[in-house]
């Protein structure tokens, strides 16, 4: 299993603090949709062009808006579509190829009216995706919380969209107890749609992440992939400094088939903002 590693940035300050050249382990850069509205952030992303980093956008629109807009009046839905298109255009201008949106699929499974409104909203997005040649990734949280829908329901919803430009961003929370339940049988529904993963943890907790266990989950989800498996490290409170990047790359070494090297305590000093 070949892994292509990336770094996820959730704050503009961290994006601006990134070194001009990322450590070679990182081949992808993900940033949040709100940064597309900042000319300063867009210029900073453009500076990575010589490194040929693959670019993607997480939460193209705020999650709270994406989850509530299907229940709102037509005027607000039209404003959503307008914002969606404007940010898609800016993402395409930066040569990004993928966008992520946190629609509330779980509510759609239990509320037929909400599901119909969500699908109507999504149909308005298909033409925008085609216009800018973008892939839309639905956020799917792992491990599933107790009482939540089976993973197969999400896969069925994706198929029902009848849109080739739709995929999943599997958001893995490696410090949650449910990790132990993510075995080969549980992950079987995702065997054809598991090429893109986001690992969500905080910089304060990064030393607690068992990357060997993460590697196990990735392998047990299946290896029916046309290309490398893409893994985005998305640590909260990451400040963009080169020392933090190197620390993260070192800890993620098991995903790349390498062995983690010990980092002396003095090299770890001053890394955290929290």
């Amino acid at each position: 299993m070949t892994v292509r590693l990336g770094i996820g940035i959730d704050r503009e300050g961290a994006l601006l603090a990134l070194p001009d050249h990322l450590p070679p382990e990182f081949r992808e850069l993900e940033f949040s949709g709100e940064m597309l509205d900042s000319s300063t952030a867009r210029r900073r992303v453009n500076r990575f062009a010589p490194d040929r980093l693959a670019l993607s956008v997480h939460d193209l629109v705020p999650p709270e808006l994406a989850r509530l807009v299907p229940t709102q009046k037509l005027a607000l839905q039209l404003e959503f579509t307008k914002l969606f298109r404007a940010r898609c255009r800016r993402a395409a201008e930066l040569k990004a190829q993928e966008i992520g949106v946190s629609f509330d699929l779980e509510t759609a499974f239990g509320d037929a009216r909400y599901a119909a409104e969500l699908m109507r909203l999504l149909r308005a997005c298909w033409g925008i995706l085609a216009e800018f040649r973008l892939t839309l990734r639905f956020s799917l949280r792992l491990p599933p919380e107790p009482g939540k829908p089976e993973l197969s329901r999400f896969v069925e919803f994706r198929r029902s969209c009848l849109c080739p430009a739709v995929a999943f961003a599997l958001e893995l929370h490696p410090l949650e107890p449910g990790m132990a339940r993510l075995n080969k049988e549980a992950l079987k529904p995702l065997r054809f749609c598991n090429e893109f993963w986001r690992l969500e943890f905080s910089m304060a907790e990064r030393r607690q992440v068992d990357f060997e266990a993460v590697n196990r989950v990735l392998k047990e989800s299946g290896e029916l992939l046309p290309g490398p498996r893409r893994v985005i490290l998305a640590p909260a409170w990451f400040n963009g400094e080169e020392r933090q990047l190197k620390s993260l790359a070192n800890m993620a070494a098991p995903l790349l088939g390498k062995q983690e090297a010990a980092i002396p305590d003095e090299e770890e000093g001053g890394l955290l903002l929290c």
Side-chain angles (χ1 to χ4, degrees):
M1 179 183 67
T2 302
V3 170
R4 183 182 176 106
L5 201 63
I7 184 70
I9 309 295
D10 62 356
R11 295 178 300 113
E12 184 173 343
L15 176 69
L16 299 179
L18 286 175
D20 288 339
H21 300 281
L22 302 188
E25 291 87 351
F26 293 109
R27 305 289 302 283
E28 304 204 17
L29 175 65
E30 180 194 74
F31 54 95
S32 64
E34 64 180 10
M35 297 183 200
L36 292 169
D37 297 336
S38 166
S39 58
T40 302
R42 296 199 304 273
R43 284 195 299 269
R44 187 68 185 90
V45 170
N46 265 327
R47 289 178 63 182
F48 291 107
D51 287 338
R52 299 186 183 279
L53 292 174
L55 301 177
S56 58
V57 181
H58 178 58
D59 282 338
L60 182 77
V61 296
E64 55 273 17
L65 175 60
R67 292 165 184 163
L68 288 176
V69 72
T71 65
Q72 304 303 307
K73 294 181 179 179
L74 180 60
L76 185 56
Q77 292 184 6
L78 291 175
E79 285 299 314
F80 171 87
T81 305
K82 182 178 178 181
L83 174 63
F84 185 90
R85 188 182 188 283
R87 289 190 173 177
C88 280
R89 176 178 56 80
R90 287 177 174 170
E93 288 172 350
L94 291 172
K95 309 300 183 185
Q97 296 180 332
E98 299 180 345
I99 58 171
V101 181
S102 298
F103 289 114
D104 189 355
L105 304 187
E106 294 179 3
T107 295
F109 297 151
D111 185 332
R113 181 177 178 182
Y114 183 92
E117 289 296 323
L118 174 59
M119 189 58 72
R120 186 165 69 87
L121 186 69
L122 288 173
R123 290 194 186 103
C125 297
W126 299 159
I128 298 172
L129 296 177
E131 178 183 358
F132 296 110
R133 299 182 181 180
L134 293 168
T135 293
L136 169 62
R137 289 194 176 273
F138 293 129
S139 299
L140 176 51
R141 192 182 192 282
L142 295 173
E145 297 175 348
K148 296 297 183 179
E150 296 291 331
L151 295 179
S152 58
R153 295 291 303 276
F154 294 91
V155 177
E156 290 167 5
F157 180 87
R158 178 197 175 203
R159 289 173 181 161
S160 71
C161 290
L162 300 177
C163 178
V166 169
F168 284 123
L170 304 177
E171 299 187 348
L172 186 63
H173 295 251
L175 295 178
E176 295 194 353
M179 277 284 289
R181 299 194 300 270
L182 290 178
N183 53 35
K184 189 172 183 178
E185 185 61 30
L187 293 165
K188 187 176 181 180
L190 303 177
R191 62 192 181 280
F192 297 116
C193 49
N194 58 47
E195 75 283 358
F196 187 92
W197 298 72
R198 300 183 80 249
L199 303 190
E200 299 200 352
F201 53 94
S202 74
M203 285 302 292
E205 299 171 321
R206 71 195 188 286
R207 283 293 175 193
Q208 301 173 39
V209 177
D210 184 349
F211 280 94
E212 293 289 355
V214 170
N215 206 28
R216 173 192 62 79
V217 170
L218 297 185
K219 288 182 177 180
E220 293 196 351
S221 69
E223 299 188 34
L224 300 173
L225 303 174
R229 175 164 280 132
R230 298 161 57 203
V231 179
I232 302 293
L233 305 185
W237 299 107
F238 170 64
N239 66 19
E241 291 183 358
E242 187 170 8
R243 287 182 299 175
Q244 285 195 353
L245 281 168
K246 290 181 177 179
S247 174
L248 289 168
N250 177 67
M251 288 184 292
L255 305 182
L256 301 175
K258 303 176 182 179
Q259 188 170 0
E260 179 181 355
I263 298 179
D265 290 342
E266 58 268 21
E267 293 184 18
E268 288 287 300
L271 290 183
L272 300 180
L273 292 178
C274 54

